[in-house]
Amino acid sequence: MRTILLWMARNPWLRARIPRLAFARRAVRRFMPGEDVADALRAADGLIAAGQGILFTRLGENLTAIAEADAVAAHYHEVLEASRSRSRPIEISVKPTQLGLDIDPEAAFAHCDALATHAAEVGSSFWVDMEGSPYVEPTIALFERLAVAHDNVGICLQAYLKRTPVDLRRILPLRPAIRLVKGAYDEPAAIAYRRKADVDAAYQTLAVAMAEAARDGDARCALGTHDADLVRRIATFAQAAGVPREKLEVHMLYGIRAAELRRLRKEGFPAFTLVAYGDFWYPWYMRRLAERPANVLFALRQLLP
Ligand SMILES: Cc1cc2nc3c(=O)[nH]c(=O)nc-3n(C[C@H](O)[C@H](O)[C@H](O)COP(=O)(O)OP(=O)(O)OC[C@H]3O[C@@H](n4cnc5c(N)ncnc54)[C@H](O)[C@@H]3O)c2cc1C
């Protein structure tokens, strides 16, 4: 089921048609407050009032022309301006291909550089998302350049990739912010763990190493997962290594296990919700279905009147 859903996420024919279906548009609302940034800002205000940190991502992936990247960057600059009037800054989390990484890497770097500078001015952070495996090396190289010039940039690392322990060692000297996720793409067994138990074990080992770096002030450690049991297991190991919970941020996606995130916040973990919005939601939504095929039933129920 996971493989079929991830194939559907990549299929251009379905990508052009499914978003037009009313039931699909109703179903995606479970994971997005709306398509407009105004919807996302309204949701963010409620979450900030409840003591949470916020990350914004406008959905979109590979571009066809570099001019589109200018529009994406302009949008995120507007978000950072909107952040000024809030009691807590909105952090932004961006796919590098949305800023043109696979068309013009220098232009993508210039956009990231300008966004990181603007984010620093408003007390915010700029996060680089991680896409499918062909993008890992260029994304890490992009992050390395950014991290030399800015101390408010973060990167997402994927625990399912067998290369990630080496990548973590490579970037830790940069005193990075890292969001560790399990990984959302369909990667081959040659380069990625495919069994949940293996991914969870890899995640735990990486997270404890990140936590130790956070304890020493050498990293910002964010656990990007809805797996609250795993977070608590990591916290137990981290505590034994002298890492307090305040150093272990938990980042979850809007609409998924929100009650669990509130519980973790009460237990002392800094809690963040990543709010996604925008009209290009299809591949992103299909990856959310692939993570939990029971969500397909929820989507199909939207076919009923
Ligand atoms: C803040 C954040 C940022 C992310 N950024 C990236 C990125 O840049 N690159 C990338 O490859 N991946 C990214 N991901 C996705 C990530 O890789 C996983 O695919 C996703 O988080 C599901 O794995 P899990 O850690 O929640 O654990 P799982 O073991 O999949 O799930 C743990 C529990 O959470 C619940 N759950 C998980 N997913 C869902 C869902 N979709 N709907 C309902 N319940 C669910 C289930 O009840 C499950 O029992 C991000 C995830 C988060 C939370």
Side-chain angles (χ1 to χ4, degrees):
M1 178 70 110
R2 179 171 187 270
T3 306
I4 293 170
L5 289 165
L6 290 175
W7 171 82
M8 288 173 72
R10 293 189 303 271
N11 185 286
W13 192 86
L14 293 172
R15 188 179 281 207
R17 283 159 184 83
I18 288 187
R20 291 193 217 135
L21 303 175
F23 90 93
R25 301 176 75 84
R26 277 198 297 276
V28 75
R29 288 301 295 265
R30 182 177 177 185
F31 299 119
M32 298 193 335
E35 292 190 354
D36 296 336
V37 68
D39 301 319
L41 286 168
R42 253 191 307 279
D45 287 337
L47 292 164
I48 290 172
Q52 286 195 26
I54 299 293
L55 300 127
F56 266 22
T57 197
R58 189 168 77 154
L59 299 172
E61 301 182 16
N62 311 56
L63 309 175
T64 50
I66 194 66
E68 294 170 46
D70 302 343
V72 172
H75 171 79
Y76 282 113
H77 282 294
E78 280 169 25
V79 169
L80 291 169
E81 279 307 303
S83 180
R84 280 187 198 274
S85 56
R86 275 143 179 110
S87 57
R88 238 181 127 154
I90 294 171
E91 303 189 13
I92 55 175
S93 199
V94 186
K95 286 192 172 24
T97 60
Q98 252 191 306
L99 292 173
L101 183 70
D102 49 359
I103 301 178
D104 183 343
E106 274 312 307
F109 173 77
H111 280 311
C112 293
D113 191 44
L115 284 167
T117 302
H118 192 174
E121 276 165 32
V122 302
S124 173
S125 292
F126 172 76
W127 291 86
V128 180
D129 289 346
M130 193 59 85
E131 302 174 73
S133 54
Y135 294 108
V136 173
E137 189 54 43
T139 300
I140 292 179
L142 172 76
F143 173 76
E144 286 174 323
R145 279 180 78 188
L146 289 168
V148 169
H150 304 275
D151 56 12
N152 64 328
V153 290
I155 187 169
C156 176
L157 292 181
Q158 296 157 324
Y160 66 4
L161 289 184
K162 294 177 181 171
R163 60 174 284 166
T164 298
V166 176
D167 292 336
L168 179 62
R169 277 197 295 279
R170 170 174 158 190
I171 64 172
L172 272 180
L174 295 166
R175 301 165 63 90
I178 303 174
R179 179 195 304 133
L180 184 65
V181 302
K182 291 190 186 178
Y185 297 82
D186 192 22
E187 303 291 0
I191 60 164
Y193 300 111
R194 294 182 62 92
R195 289 178 47 236
K196 178 175 162 52
D198 295 336
V199 177
D200 287 2
Y203 191 105
Q204 184 167 321
T205 306
L206 291 160
V208 172
M210 283 165 46
E212 287 171 358
R215 173 199 61 202
D216 302 336
D218 291 335
R220 176 177 168 191
C221 171
L223 306 176
T225 181
H226 312 101
D227 194 338
D229 294 341
L230 180 58
V231 168
R232 292 192 181 96
R233 276 203 304 282
I234 291 163
T236 305
F237 278 96
Q239 194 177 11
V243 189
R245 286 184 175 181
E246 309 86 76
K247 294 276 184 189
L248 299 179
E249 295 178 15
V250 182
H251 294 191
M252 290 194 187
L253 302 178
Y254 177 90
I256 301 180
R257 306 200 95 182
E260 196 60 73
L261 185 61
R262 286 195 293 274
R263 252 193 302 280
L264 288 166
R265 195 180 83 80
K266 287 205 180 107
E267 290 170 25
F269 299 92
F272 286 72
T273 295
L274 189 152
V275 181
Y277 56 94
D279 52 10
F280 190 75
W281 45 260
Y282 171 75
W284 179 87
Y285 177 57
M286 295 310 285
R287 289 198 291 275
R288 301 293 78 80
L289 296 187
E291 283 157 6
R292 189 162 178 266
N295 289 339
V296 176
L297 288 179
F298 173 84
L300 291 176
R301 276 207 296 276
Q302 308 307 308
L303 278 167
L304 301 173

